[in-house]
Amino acid sequence: MRREPTEGSAQAAAVQAEGGTPRRGAPAAGRGRTDDRRSRAGGGRTVAPERRSGRRSASGELGGDQVEGRRAVLELLAAGRRPVRRLLMADGLDPSSQLDEIEALAYRRRVRIETVGRARLDNEARTEAPQGVLAYAEPIEPTPLEDLCRPTRSGRLPFLLVAAGITDPRNLGALLRSAECAGATGVVLPRHRAAHLSPTVAKVAAGALEHLDFCVVGGIPAALDEMTKAGVWTVGLAGEAERSIYSLPLGEVAVALVMGSEEKGLAPLVRRRCDELVAIPQHGNLASLNVGVAGAVAFFEVARQREVAAAEG
Amino acid sequence: MRREPTEGSAQAAAVQAEGGTPRRGAPAAGRGRTDDRRSRAGGGRTVAPERRSGRRSASGELGGDQVEGRRAVLELLAAGRRPVRRLLMADGLDPSSQLDEIEALAYRRRVRIETVGRARLDNEARTEAPQGVLAYAEPIEPTPLEDLCRPTRSGRLPFLLVAAGITDPRNLGALLRSAECAGATGVVLPRHRAAHLSPTVAKVAAGALEHLDFCVVGGIPAALDEMTKAGVWTVGLAGEAERSIYSLPLGEVAVALVMGSEEKGLAPLVRRRCDELVAIPQHGNLASLNVGVAGAVAFFEVARQREVAAAEG
């Protein structure tokens, strides 16, 4: 059983820097994706056969194909955004309403449940606690950056997370979950040296993978430039920044929050390309918040200001 | 090697409900504590030999005596709030500025570093990634609830976390870290059926144990009544509450944020005893935030409003 590194483990950065956790069972490219994406609510985007400026997407490069844990699998089935190829459930699980819901959704989606022994399921699992449920789905299909920079069909302004060097899968998963809850519309991930949508990310994200749009870029600095040109305000979180996030008018703008690596924060070039650098004021003795928590506080500040603006508007 | 349950593990609730992780190497009661507490900044409280209403404290019931991980050990030594009895470091660790800092602080605090083999350290460790550093310290001494309900010596109004049923040690640790960073002054923990300050809590809290005051109570509802009488506004976080946390005037009040269990939220009696119930408005498709993240968003809303009030006042 392969285990992914967990937060704070000294191995985390090294393992991820070597290319992250290998995926298994990645399906053939693009199969059945176009129809699926066309049918998505709030999207209406089609998958362009080619990407601009060398960002040609290989289907599956984002990952997300192996989904473990009850909440994540439940959201996978409920969202119905991508086909589920296989659904494994351990036998002898205690009755639970979540399992009942998974079974009902699987039936509705015409996904057959394969009941397997607990040991076999744990053996196929790549997270520590798959909770007796594991699904293989089509990987997440990337969305072009220019699409992420447009308002959604329902008229929401872009509200993006740029994960500029998050290496720990638990942190990335936590960020995705909080971002989704705060109303974020999309996520920009770098192709190299970063956590991708691995089983641990999918599990900790608790279903956020099914509701966010993801873009993979070759380089974060160039992507930031492109976002600025497209009218998205790029705001980097930097502990040492003088400006407070609370001083920014975030209620009525297209915004991207840029989060750096757990160890080193924002890289110098990324820092320079951000339109603003802000800090979350700290009031205690500890040096800093966990990166996932800092992100959540920032996402909900955007959400709070958007709420105030909507009430006033 | 004993492992503590991690978030989302089906065992977590059960294990903790059975009384949590057993401590080893807990020192004799009260040894050397009084002087130590007297010398604390912002406190000035002495340890009363007896507590009111049957809340007699057995020294060590809070735990916190086994501290693992570099950041947590560093803060333990830097804060100097409680004696460190032993400090173990694995041999053959790669050079790091954090390790250098730990060594310098240990020298200053006259704590001898015992260099041991990696295997032995990992064997004594109770978290998954002790990062080659493990300390045994005097356990955290409880603070009486009435003291937590008074302004600190530096004049800060009480800003408390009531952990009313958090069972997962990672969640409790994350809450403590965020609370400390937001300027919280103290924490109320129930004696039974909850995570106490275990090695995992201490590690995830990343040193917050050294800067917060902790109170252990027999029952949360009675404690909430006592807090209300002492002028602390008790605000329960409940996903289904109609009132938004952003509508509360939190900038100039003594406040306690009450967080319920991961599975069931606030217990009915706890809910009834809170002065207010509020929700963090959600803007996505997912059902809910992780409890640690919800807490962080709430803590930083208190911090934000206190900042605004201070600037206006």
Side-chain angles (χ1 to χ4, degrees), chain A residues 278-299:
Chain A
V278 296
I280 298 167
Q282 302 292 300
H283 303 273
N285 297 280
L286 299 182
S288 68
L289 284 173
N290 163 281
V291 66
V293 169
V297 170
F299 302 147

Side-chain angles (χ1 to χ4, degrees), chain A residues 29-48:
Chain A
R31 179 153 49 88
R33 297 293 305 152
T34 313
D35 285 352
D36 182 49
R37 283 198 53 86
R38 272 199 188 120
S39 68
R40 284 181 46 208
R45 299 153 196 160
T46 55
V47 178

Side-chain angles (χ1 to χ4, degrees), chain B residues 75-152:
Chain B
E75 287 291 335
L76 170 70
L77 291 164
R81 174 162 122 165
R82 50 199 181 117
V84 177
R85 294 183 296 118
R86 290 178 66 198
L87 177 53
L88 275 58
M89 203 175 270
D91 57 14
L93 295 173
D94 290 336
S96 102
S97 60
Q98 237 175 359
L99 290 176
D100 293 346
E101 241 184 299
I102 288 172
E103 282 177 9
L105 282 166
Y107 181 81
R108 201 188 310 160
R109 300 268 178 223
R110 294 165 197 262
V111 177
R112 191 171 64 83
I113 297 177
E114 300 171 46
T115 306
V116 299
R118 184 87 195 203
R120 173 158 159 226
L121 190 132
D122 284 347
N123 196 42
E124 293 211 22
R126 299 218 322 262
T127 66
E128 292 217 12
Q131 302 169 315
V133 185
L134 191 162
Y136 294 104
E138 296 291 312
I140 303 270
E141 190 72 23
T143 299
L145 184 55
E146 57 266 37
D147 286 356
L148 284 193
C149 294
R150 289 188 199 116
T152 65

Side-chain angles (χ1 to χ4, degrees), chain A residues 171-240:
Chain A
N171 284 340
L172 181 59
L175 282 168
L176 299 180
R177 180 175 177 182
S178 318
E180 205 284 332
C181 287
T185 57
V187 179
V188 177
L189 296 170
R191 183 163 292 125
H192 302 295
R193 278 195 294 262
H196 63 193
L197 305 179
S198 69
T200 295
V201 173
K203 177 161 188 286
V204 177
L209 265 58
E210 315 310 326
H211 302 291
L212 291 165
D213 286 330
F214 292 88
C215 169
V216 186
V217 298
I220 295 290
L224 291 174
D225 280 349
E226 191 175 335
M227 294 163 85
T228 298
K229 278 178 203 145
V232 176
W233 205 19
T234 58
V235 177
L237 257 73
E240 76 294 349

Side-chain angles (χ1 to χ4, degrees), chain A residues 41-82:
Chain A
R45 299 153 196 160
T46 55
V47 178
E50 285 183 34
R51 305 269 184 268
R52 294 185 306 157
S53 60
R55 287 205 313 284
R56 215 167 57 83
S57 146
S59 187
E61 76 176 337
L62 267 168
D65 48 293
Q66 184 161 342
V67 180
E68 305 174 8
R70 295 179 187 184
R71 204 187 292 243
V73 169
L74 206 156
E75 288 290 337
L76 170 70
L77 291 163
R81 174 163 123 166
R82 52 200 180 117

Side-chain angles (χ1 to χ4, degrees), chain A residues 7-8 71 128 131 170 177 180-181 211 246 281-286 288-290 293 296 300 304 307, chain B residues 7-8 71 75 128 131 170 177 180-181 211 246 281-286 288-290 293 296 304 307:
Chain A
E7 180 195 10
R71 204 187 292 243
E128 292 217 12
Q131 303 171 313
R170 288 190 70 93
R177 180 175 177 182
E180 205 284 332
C181 287
H211 302 291
Y246 302 117
Q282 302 292 300
H283 303 273
N285 297 280
L286 299 182
S288 68
L289 284 173
N290 163 281
V293 169
F300 274 88
R304 185 187 72 80
E307 233 180 279
Chain B
E7 181 193 10
R71 203 186 292 243
E75 287 291 335
E128 292 217 12
Q131 302 169 315
R170 287 190 71 93
R177 180 174 177 183
E180 206 284 331
C181 287
H211 302 290
Y246 301 117
Q282 302 293 299
H283 303 273
N285 298 280
L286 299 182
S288 68
L289 284 172
N290 163 280
V293 169
R304 185 188 70 82
E307 231 181 280

